[in-house]
Amino acid sequence: MANVEIGRIALVIGETGVGKSTLANIIYNEGFSEDHCTKPFKVGSTAASVTRASSMQYNSVTKNCVIDTVGVGDPVLDEQDILGNVRSLVRNTAQGVNAVVVVMRMARVPHAARANMYVLEKLFAPRDLRSHGVLVLTHWEGEIGDEDGDLTRWIGEDQEIKEMVSRFDKVILTNNQLRGKGADPDCREKCAKELLDFICGTTFKVKARPVNLTELVVDLFRKFGAFMWRRTLKVKDFMHKCGESGVP
């Protein structure tokens, strides 16, 4: 895409099943209708084939680019997937992004979400994550107008979650369900407007900090490996895998 004019770049990251790709579609299409929410990124049951990799879409009309990634937040990932996804995150953020959209389900925060946050905190300076990061909590069951109280109750006494939320200047609560009893077009419209306003309000890109990829991935395995991935290697074996893969 070297000869293509690129406007704003949004990175959307979240574990499988939280509504990440729906949000990526909203950003790409700059709309919130059902058609806007379901393409070009695959959503729902069709997403199984893309959960292991990042997907990038360029909108030739708006000139904006959206990156949809599960990050490291999926239990089906093996060591090669994790290496590849961290590599992609480093590569996709090295030249700068206008927004880092972190998507989590508004429920108990799993290790997958915490692992993704760990990677983002290693990549971005705190001030950059605060100014260009937005936390989107999906599957919200509240009423418009009750966001602050519901967010406070969700955080509760969990100090780690409180610190995580405090890293973002912008937090959006939403329910982007398209069909069924829980579908709420007004909530989806509100989410789309807040999210797009946030992205359009960024006037410059923030770049990821240089990292040692081997150290980052090994640290990730030490911290989350026992809880996260179904095929967990010992750190020594994983470092050997890194060497075989040519990780710098």
Side-chain angles (χ1 to χ4, degrees):
M1 299 181 70
N3 298 319
V4 176
E5 178 188 351
I6 298 178
R8 289 179 170 82
I9 301 174
L11 173 73
V12 185
I13 182 170
E15 69 268 26
T16 302
V18 298
K20 159 186 57 68
S21 296
T22 298
L23 287 166
N25 288 327
I26 286 173
I27 296 168
Y28 175 90
N29 293 302
E30 298 188 354
F32 61 92
S33 71
E34 185 167 337
D35 282 345
H36 289 145
C37 292
T38 54
K39 57 188 177 183
F41 297 101
K42 296 179 181 180
V43 299
S45 59
T46 60
S49 62
V50 296
T51 53
R52 292 188 176 212
S54 298
S55 178
M56 179 185 294
Q57 295 285 349
Y58 172 73
N59 189 320
S60 60
V61 176
T62 65
K63 309 300 183 186
N64 294 332
C65 185
V66 183
I67 303 164
D68 177 9
T69 179
V70 72
V72 296
D74 196 300
V76 304
L77 299 177
D78 61 24
E79 66 275 2
Q80 293 302 325
D81 296 324
I82 295 164
L83 279 170
N85 285 359
V86 174
R87 231 192 239 114
S88 294
L89 268 175
V90 172
R91 183 177 63 244
N92 289 332
T93 55
Q95 299 306 311
V97 294
N98 293 90
V100 179
V101 183
V102 180
V103 189
M104 296 183 187
R105 192 182 186 106
M106 197 171 185
R108 180 178 175 274
V109 179
H111 290 289
R114 297 173 196 257
N116 276 337
M117 276 300 303
Y118 181 80
V119 173
L120 291 175
E121 288 166 11
K122 292 291 185 181
L123 291 179
F124 292 99
R127 65 180 183 278
D128 291 339
L129 194 56
R130 177 180 292 278
S131 63
H132 285 63
V134 53
L135 175 63
V136 182
L137 299 173
T138 63
H139 297 80
W140 175 48
E141 297 179 349
E143 300 290 335
I144 293 175
D146 294 340
E147 291 90 340
D148 290 346
D150 288 348
L151 179 61
T152 299
R153 283 186 287 274
W154 177 71
I155 295 172
E157 301 299 321
D158 191 323
Q159 190 61 32
E160 185 177 353
I161 299 302
K162 184 176 181 179
E163 291 175 1
M164 180 188 69
V165 172
S166 72
R167 294 185 178 99
F168 299 89
D169 271 346
K170 181 70 175 175
V171 180
I172 299 173
L173 276 58
T174 189
N175 176 6
N176 292 331
Q177 185 175 326
L178 297 177
R179 303 182 187 90
K181 189 183 299 184
D184 187 346
D186 291 339
C187 188
R188 198 163 64 242
E189 178 181 9
K190 175 179 172 293
C191 172
K193 184 178 186 310
E194 289 188 39
L195 193 52
L196 293 170
D197 284 351
F198 177 85
I199 295 170
C200 289
T202 58
T203 57
F204 63 93
K205 294 179 173 66
V206 292
K207 296 181 179 180
R209 298 179 289 191
V211 295
N212 182 301
L213 192 54
T214 302
E215 290 181 2
L216 173 57
V217 177
V218 169
D219 285 348
L220 193 65
F221 258 68
R222 283 189 173 128
K223 191 171 180 66
F224 298 101
F227 310 102
M228 277 285 301
W229 302 286
R230 65 184 181 187
R231 182 166 180 257
T232 303
L233 299 179
K234 294 180 180 178
V235 171
K236 181 179 178 181
D237 294 333
F238 189 75
M239 290 180 73
H240 178 67
K241 286 281 185 180
C242 288
E244 288 182 343
S245 303
V247 177

